[in-house]
């Protein structure tokens, strides 16, 4: 099972089952001794100064408390099952869990202390196993199905969705089936998990390299070449790692070298992983079959917006038809470009801004503080919010800032967020949004304050030079901040549905929508200033940038359609000829 408690842009988290087994939580829980100085009623009581022993003790305490709550629900007499003693009790236990969990599993990504990070990783492992254990509680599942059969009235739409979802999730784990079938499902998933790990391990350990002469690597920078190892005959060794693959594919003039690279890259571990893949397809089909689904794709899609494989297939076909003319136009353009480039080869200066100049020039216009100011301005205006920095906030590192977001009209505090934007020793190296406390209703009917963190790896300011962002980093900033706002603005009853805990194929929608601001002139002007003379981005650069967005959009999306179709084709069959 895959545990998925943060949103990571553009990076796949490996796991055999794509259904996020969302973590549940605890409240009323006593924080460990050192955290007691803060009153329990405080809206953001998250502590980031737990010692490894505190983390271990809290993890044990948390699991004991949640287990006790599940035991209570699981021992309710079948005939006296009620909304109060099952559904609401479960919602409260899950809220309890969700509010206490992240002080334990988040420090592994950001804490300056190595010992604390290790304790947090350890806690994460234990809690992940615990998640699986409580998700398999047949006693609790039986009481939920009994409640569902009673068709309780007076359920709010969200409570009804919660009940239906819990029963569906239980069935997806086979809890309604016989012990023998459950065991077989477990065995099958264990195999799937082992094979998936092996598949990835093979890719990680692959050390294939290609050998090229200097001439064959024409177009690549000297600094790239000087970083390469050499073979005995003096030629260059190029590996299939991204830092070699991408520059070669983007800059090498020699089409034959690019062809060799592309072929080798997409043939990594071909023999051994093809066998694994084909076995995985059969195992997934078997698990789906045991659970009563016609294929693995339908199993996965059931709890997505897309619902089933035939809808996905219709969507891909329609999308393909729409994109095809765009792709054909782009291909013509690229062919013309190639022709022109060939005839232009050898000219020392072409007198224009090329695509490969753009990142370099654009890079001088996005100082981090200016971007943050512009981004805050746009989000505040758009969402009717006011952000204020919390003075002397309790944080995990001196470079982290905490902000409070209020409804501008009513003054009500709707949530808090941390910004932790620069690299540090041992810190998570990508950009991501972490939900830290859910924004749902507590047992007292009051809304809990949602808290989220945006973590990034933007270049640190240096003496005389501010932190300058590339345009794609500005886009990432908007994207992840969109997830932060999604966490903060949601108003729900159940922790299970708070913030970004939505259908997997919806979770990126708000962020992707909000990303559009970085492709419009007005917001770009608001967010930029040349770091030396303060001048705005010149119009011709903005035009180029905006034009570059749609370049290749047809071909790139057609590629996504192909990937989607391959995936669907593999997972709607019992076995597949992957070739
Ligand atoms: C797929 O879902 C759509 C929409 O809910 C439904 O109309 C259709 O019958 C479903 N198809 C199959 C094969 O289940
Ligand atoms: C994060 O930033 C550091 C320092 O700039 C860099 O060395 C590292 O490669 C970055 N991490 C990732 C995953 O890009
Ligand atoms: Zn995202």
């Amino acid at each position: 099972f895959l545990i998925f408690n943060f949103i990571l842009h553009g990076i796949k988290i490996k796991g055999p089952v794509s259904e996020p087994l969302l973590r549940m939580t605890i409240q009323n829980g006593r924080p460990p001794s050192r955290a007691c100085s803060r009153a329990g009623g405080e809206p953001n009581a998250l502590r980031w100064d737990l010692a490894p022993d505190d983390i271990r003790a809290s993890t044990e305490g948390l699991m004991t408390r949640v287990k006790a709550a599940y035991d209570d629900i699981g021992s309710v007499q079948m005939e006296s099952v009620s909304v109060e003693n099952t559904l609401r009790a479960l919602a409260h236990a899950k809220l309890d869990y969700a509010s206490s969990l992240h002080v334990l599993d988040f420090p592994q990504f950001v804490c300056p202390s190595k010992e604390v990070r290790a304790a947090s990783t350890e806690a994460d492992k234990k809690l992940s196993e615990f998640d699986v254990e409580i998700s398999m509680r047949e006693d609790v599942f039986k009481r939920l199905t009994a409640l569902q059969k009673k068709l309780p009235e007076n359920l709010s739409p969200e409570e009804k969705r919660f009940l239906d979802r819990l029963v569906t999730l239980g069935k997806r784990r086979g809890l309604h089936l016989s012990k023998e079938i459950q065991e077989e499902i477990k065995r099958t998933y264990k195999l799937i998990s082992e094979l998936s790990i092996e598949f990835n391990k093979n890719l990680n350990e692959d050390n294939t390299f290609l050998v090229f002469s200097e001439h064959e690597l024409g177009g690549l920078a000297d600094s790239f070449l000087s970083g390469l190892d050499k073979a005995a005959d003096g030629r260059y060794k190029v590996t299939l790692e991204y830092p070699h693959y991408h520059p070669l594919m983007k800059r090498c003039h020699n089409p034959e070298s690019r062809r060799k690279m592309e072929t080798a890259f997409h043939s990594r571990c071909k023999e051994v992983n093809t066998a694994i893949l084909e076995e995985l397809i059969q195992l997934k089909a078997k698990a789906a079959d045991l659970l009563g689904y016609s294929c693995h794709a339908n199993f996965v899609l059931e709890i997505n917006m897309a619902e089933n494989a035939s809808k996905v297939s219709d969507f891909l076909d329609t999308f393909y038809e729409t994109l095809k003319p765009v792709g054909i136009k782009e291909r013509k353009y690229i062919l013309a470009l190639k022709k022109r480039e060939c005839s232009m080869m050898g000219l020392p200066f072409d007198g224009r801004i090329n695509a490969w100049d753009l990142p370099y020039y654009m890079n001088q216009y996005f100082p981090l503080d200016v971007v943050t100011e512009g981004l805050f301005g746009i989000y505040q205006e758009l969402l009717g919010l006011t952000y204020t920095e919390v003075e002397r906030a309790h944080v995990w590192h001196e470079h982290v800032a905490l902000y409070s977001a209020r409804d501008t009209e009513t003054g009500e505090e709707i949530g808090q967020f941390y910004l932790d934007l620069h690299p540090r020793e041992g810190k998570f190296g990508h950009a991501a949004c972490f939900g830290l406390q859910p924004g749902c209703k507590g047992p007292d009917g009051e809304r809990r304050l949602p808290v989220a963190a945006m973590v990034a790896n933007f270049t640190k300011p240096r003496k005389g030079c501010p932190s300058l962002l590339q345009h794609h980093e500005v886009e990432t900033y908007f994207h992840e901040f969109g997830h932060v706002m999604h966490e903060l603005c949601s108003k729900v009853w159940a922790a299970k549905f708070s913030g970004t805990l939505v259908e997997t194929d919806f979770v990126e929608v708000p962020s992707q929508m909000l990303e559009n601001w970085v492709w419009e002139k007005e917001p770009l002007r608001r967010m930029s200033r040349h770091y030396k003379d303060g001048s705005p981005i010149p119009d011709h650069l903005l035009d180029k940038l905006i034009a570059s967005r749609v370049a290749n959009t047809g071909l790139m999306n057609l590629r996504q359609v192909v990937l989607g179709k391959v995936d669907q084709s593999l997972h709607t069959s019992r076995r597949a000829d992957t070739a």
Side-chain angles (χ1 to χ4, degrees):
F1 291 91
L2 159 67
I3 309 295
F4 187 93
N5 57 7
F6 60 96
I7 307 280
L8 183 50
H9 186 47
I11 296 184
K12 283 254 172 61
I13 298 169
K14 65 185 176 202
V17 178
S18 57
E19 166 191 333
L21 228 193
L22 296 166
R23 287 209 156 150
M24 313 161 181
T25 332
I26 276 227
Q27 118 252 347
N28 302 334
R30 267 181 320 278
S33 51
R34 301 175 47 172
C36 281
S37 55
R38 244 173 132 132
E42 211 164 317
N44 176 358
L46 298 171
R47 297 304 298 178
W48 307 110
D49 51 6
L50 305 188
D53 280 344
D54 295 334
I55 290 182
R56 279 187 280 274
S58 276
T59 303
E60 290 305 322
L62 175 58
M63 294 192 297
T64 308
R65 289 205 308 275
V66 174
K67 187 171 175 304
Y70 273 66
D71 288 347
D72 284 349
I73 298 165
S75 56
V76 169
Q77 294 295 316
M78 280 305 216
E79 53 288 353
S80 48
V81 155
S82 73
V83 172
E84 205 52 49
N85 67 20
T86 55
L87 196 66
R88 294 203 182 119
L90 203 55
H92 298 152
K94 281 171 186 271
L95 168 58
D96 220 359
Y97 192 37
S99 339
S100 317
L101 177 67
H102 300 304
V103 292
L104 306 172
D105 71 2
F106 181 56
Q108 67 180 303
F109 301 108
V110 294
C111 187
S113 151
K114 196 173 168 195
E115 288 71 35
V116 172
R117 290 200 303 272
S120 174
T121 304
E122 193 53 40
D124 193 11
K125 268 195 208 133
K126 277 198 183 145
L127 291 162
S128 300
E129 280 164 24
F130 181 68
D131 287 337
V132 174
E133 186 191 312
I134 54 174
S135 73
M136 299 301 284
R137 289 283 298 252
E138 220 176 316
D139 52 351
V140 173
F141 173 75
K142 284 209 173 104
R143 277 147 190 90
L144 289 168
T145 45
L147 180 68
Q148 195 186 42
K149 285 210 190 77
K150 283 188 174 174
L151 294 171
E153 287 171 24
N154 306 327
L155 283 187
S156 71
E158 193 184 335
E159 285 170 327
K160 183 167 184 322
R161 174 168 150 86
F162 185 48
L163 177 57
D164 292 346
R165 178 52 62 98
L166 291 171
V167 170
T168 304
L169 290 177
K171 287 186 177 162
R172 293 170 63 76
R173 292 171 189 132
L175 297 184
H176 61 310
L177 301 171
S178 73
K179 269 278 163 265
E180 298 81 72
I181 298 183
Q182 284 192 33
E183 281 308 313
E184 176 131 31
I185 292 170
K186 234 190 242 172
R187 272 197 303 277
T188 311
Y189 274 127
K190 188 154 175 284
L191 269 177
I192 290 175
S193 167
E194 287 164 2
L195 286 169
S196 305
I197 290 168
E198 204 181 319
F199 188 99
N200 283 320
K201 191 164 149 263
N202 291 339
L203 286 176
N204 289 336
E205 288 176 0
D206 176 79
N207 51 14
T208 308
F209 60 86
L210 303 175
V211 178
F212 292 111
S213 67
E214 185 166 353
H215 173 73
E216 286 167 331
L217 293 177
L220 286 156
D222 289 342
S223 59
F224 178 84
L225 295 184
S226 61
L228 297 175
D229 286 340
K230 286 196 175 177
D233 61 4
R235 289 188 301 161
Y236 292 100
K237 281 186 183 176
V238 181
T239 71
L240 307 183
E241 307 279 329
Y242 284 133
H244 287 176
Y245 169 75
H246 284 302
L248 191 145
M249 293 310 297
K250 275 187 196 164
R251 315 220 194 291
C252 184
H253 294 325
N254 190 315
E256 182 57 17
S257 304
R258 295 198 303 264
R259 191 193 64 77
K260 277 187 184 149
M261 182 55 141
E262 188 73 351
T263 308
F265 184 81
H266 289 291
S267 309
R268 283 171 302 159
C269 311
K270 192 165 115 183
E271 309 303 327
V272 50
N273 273 358
T274 298
I276 294 178
L277 178 61
E278 293 187 352
E279 197 177 342
L280 278 171
I281 290 165
Q282 293 180 38
L283 287 167
K284 288 184 189 178
K286 179 179 165 187
D289 189 46
L290 288 166
L291 288 166
Y293 295 82
S294 55
C295 61
H296 177 71
N298 279 337
F299 169 72
V300 171
L301 292 165
E302 179 188 32
I303 54 163
N304 277 274
M305 293 196 305
E307 291 181 339
N308 60 45
S310 67
K311 254 174 117 172
V312 170
S313 157
D314 289 348
F315 168 77
L316 289 174
D317 288 342
T318 312
F319 197 33
Y320 172 75
E321 289 305 327
T322 314
L323 287 168
K324 204 164 74 174
V326 184
I328 289 171
K329 239 169 84 183
E330 286 168 2
R331 196 175 54 186
K332 268 196 199 136
Y333 176 79
I334 289 172
L335 281 174
L337 204 69
K338 194 169 175 181
K339 204 168 144 196
R340 196 168 65 205
E341 189 192 284
C342 288
S343 73
M344 272 168 42
M345 278 286 211
L347 287 183
F349 176 58
D350 61 10
R352 33 175 288 145
I353 296 161
N354 296 295
W356 52 89
D357 294 330
L358 205 55
Y360 173 75
Y361 288 111
M362 292 305 301
N363 188 219
Q364 308 188 354
Y365 284 94
F366 295 113
L368 181 62
D369 53 340
V370 178
V371 175
T372 300
E373 193 188 314
L375 177 144
F376 275 21
I378 288 165
Y379 271 96
Q380 289 180 113
E381 228 171 273
L382 188 71
L383 301 173
L385 299 175
T386 305
Y387 307 151
T388 44
E389 187 167 354
V390 178
E391 304 272 334
R392 290 181 302 280
H394 169 68
V395 293
W396 51 87
H397 187 272
E398 54 177 332
H399 293 155
V400 179
L402 175 65
Y403 294 85
S404 164
R406 292 180 183 280
D407 183 319
T408 305
E409 208 155 286
T410 64
E412 180 203 354
E413 183 172 42
I414 65 124
Q416 296 192 347
F417 60 92
Y418 299 91
L419 291 185
D420 182 359
L421 301 180
H422 299 296
R424 266 199 307 279
E425 169 77 33
K427 195 186 127 177
F428 182 71
H430 307 274
C433 162
F434 294 79
L436 298 175
Q437 200 169 273
C440 58
K441 287 201 176 143
D444 52 5
E446 293 292 314
R447 179 170 183 264
R448 295 305 170 96
L449 197 74
V451 181
M454 159 140 192
V455 175
N457 198 46
F458 298 142
T459 322
K460 266 196 212 157
R462 280 176 290 116
K463 207 164 168 273
C465 185
S467 169
L468 290 170
L469 300 190
Q470 308 206 23
H471 181 261
H472 73 84
E473 290 178 310
V474 177
E475 188 177 22
T476 299
Y477 198 171
F478 260 77
H479 180 93
E480 299 306 333
F481 199 75
H483 288 312
V484 171
M485 287 300 114
H486 189 178
E487 288 283 349
L488 264 57
C489 293
S490 91
K491 293 200 168 166
V492 295
W493 166 72
K496 176 132 191 86
F497 300 133
S498 77
T500 50
L501 301 183
V502 292
E503 270 70 355
T504 313
D505 55 355
F506 181 75
V507 68
E508 297 297 336
V509 171
S511 267
Q512 291 192 335
M513 178 186 76
L514 293 162
E515 256 176 50
N516 287 321
W517 293 103
V518 307
W519 295 103
E520 299 278 334
K521 274 194 182 174
E522 190 206 327
L524 282 171
R525 284 206 194 94
R526 274 172 69 162
M527 283 188 290
S528 63
R529 214 176 288 155
H530 193 283
Y531 80 103
K532 278 191 184 140
D533 62 15
S535 62
I537 299 191
D539 254 12
H540 69 279
L541 273 181
L542 276 183
D543 290 336
K544 285 269 181 191
L545 176 75
I546 291 163
S548 77
R549 180 189 199 181
V550 288
N552 295 336
T553 187
L555 292 173
M556 265 158 51
N557 282 295
L558 281 166
R559 180 168 181 274
Q560 295 303 120
V561 171
V562 172
L563 297 178
K565 281 186 171 257
V566 170
D567 172 55
Q568 287 295 305
S569 150
L570 298 185
H571 292 117
T572 48
S573 2
R574 316 205 121 252
R575 58 184 64 242
D577 175 356
T578 53

